Amino acid sequence: MVIRMLDYSNSQMVRYEFLSLIKVSDASALGIHKTIEKFFEDNSVPYKNNLIGFAADGASAMFGIHHSVKTFFKRQTMFKEFQYFVDTKKHKLLKPCQTRWFSLHSTIKRILEQLALLKLYFQAEYLIDQKAKSIFEGLKNPHFELYLNFLDYSLPILNSFNLSFRSEKPQIHLLYSKMSMAYKTILEFYIKPEYLNNTDVDKIQYRNLTYFLEKENIYLGGKWKMENGLYV
């Protein structure tokens, strides 16, 4: 890796410097991009703020039109530009971690925060590359936002229950009642109360449409209400 930089200590001269010879185990475009990204992060180089260009040989993995190291860096830059354009918070998207349950709620909240931007960004990508079609159509589907808002409202209930497993005191005698309470609280959103209140927890048929509330009575959190058969 070679970098070109402005040397403020030497009459602001632009010069090239050998930075590092990085071992690459995955020579795909994504593998190379992740290796470069990791090198910068491990060495505390704020490349996302400082990077203004990228140069490499003409190999497809490096400079292909649709899937290359160049396009990965370009997409990060474009996403940042879209954030400025729609005047949204300059936050990165998060990924849920399988070993950290609480990360799922943080991920969903971040997607909701950036949802308008994501729709705009992938609409632009779709016009350039048909591969983005499925992502764009999924984002503009109103059920997607509805589903995310439901999770945003219900996940704190589960997270509160999960805190019991982190307690330093014995909780085994309380777990069943806490689990039942969290479970029934979520079921109250869409299950008829007369059925819910008169059925043992372990026998509740939570997927049986017979016991579902009418659509206008289903509760999806304080951000949604039913008007003319549609959630708004």
Side-chain angles (χ1 to χ4, degrees):
M1 185 182 296
V2 177
I3 58 170
R4 183 172 66 175
M5 60 184 182
L6 184 62
D7 187 351
Y8 289 100
S9 64
N10 188 12
S11 302
Q12 297 190 357
M13 180 182 294
V14 176
R15 59 189 179 87
Y16 291 85
E17 288 288 339
F18 171 76
L19 183 60
S20 178
L21 185 62
I22 304 173
K23 183 177 180 180
V24 176
S25 57
D26 179 1
S28 67
L30 181 59
I32 296 172
H33 175 262
K34 286 185 175 180
T35 301
I36 296 172
E37 189 175 50
K38 185 177 185 303
F39 174 83
F40 282 139
E41 290 174 351
D42 289 347
N43 289 277
S44 301
V45 178
Y47 75 97
K48 292 180 181 178
N49 295 324
N50 295 348
L51 183 67
I52 61 172
F54 171 75
D57 60 26
S60 178
M62 302 301 290
F63 257 88
I65 297 176
H66 299 302
H67 192 78
S68 64
V69 176
K70 179 198 74 171
T71 58
F72 283 124
F73 279 122
K74 171 194 168 188
R75 285 168 184 159
Q76 289 183 348
T77 303
M78 285 180 62
F79 190 72
K80 186 176 179 180
E81 289 174 352
F82 271 85
Q83 286 179 319
Y84 281 108
F85 180 71
V86 301
D87 194 26
T88 191
K89 294 180 180 178
K90 313 306 183 291
H91 291 161
K92 288 178 61 177
L93 295 178
L94 303 175
K95 289 194 237 179
C97 176
Q98 292 183 345
T99 57
R100 296 183 64 188
W101 289 30
F102 295 95
S103 67
L104 180 58
H105 188 213
S106 300
T107 302
I108 288 170
K109 289 179 72 68
R110 183 59 55 83
I111 293 174
L112 284 169
E113 175 196 279
Q114 302 280 328
L115 190 56
L117 170 66
L118 287 168
K119 289 178 182 177
L120 187 64
Y121 173 79
F122 280 102
Q123 182 180 24
E125 285 291 300
Y126 169 51
L127 295 174
I128 299 171
D129 186 353
Q130 290 290 313
K131 291 180 181 179
K133 179 180 179 181
S134 60
I135 300 176
F136 171 60
E137 290 183 344
L139 286 171
K140 72 176 184 178
N141 186 332
H143 291 146
F144 177 71
E145 186 174 0
L146 195 67
Y147 180 64
L148 289 182
N149 274 285
F150 173 72
L151 290 176
D152 183 33
Y153 183 80
S154 59
L155 278 174
I157 299 171
L158 298 177
N159 288 343
S160 178
F161 168 66
N162 286 333
L163 285 174
S164 301
F165 294 96
R166 297 189 172 191
S167 175
E168 296 181 358
K169 298 179 180 180
Q171 296 284 314
I172 189 68
H173 61 295
L174 300 173
L175 287 179
Y176 183 79
S177 60
K178 287 185 176 182
M179 185 183 299
S180 299
M181 186 180 298
Y183 181 48
K184 292 189 73 171
T185 299
I186 294 176
L187 292 181
E188 286 174 351
F189 298 163
Y190 69 97
I191 296 290
K192 294 177 180 177
E194 58 272 18
Y195 171 72
L196 194 60
N197 295 330
N198 295 295
T199 308
D200 292 338
V201 172
D202 58 332
K203 295 180 179 179
I204 295 174
Q205 300 180 35
Y206 62 90
R207 292 184 177 180
N208 191 329
L209 297 177
T210 305
Y211 305 116
F212 281 21
L213 292 167
E214 298 296 326
K215 284 193 302 182
E216 59 270 17
N217 294 324
I218 292 176
Y219 189 65
L220 297 174
K223 294 182 179 179
W224 297 89
K225 62 180 179 178
M226 176 71 79
E227 288 186 2
N228 301 320
L230 297 173
Y231 286 102
V232 295

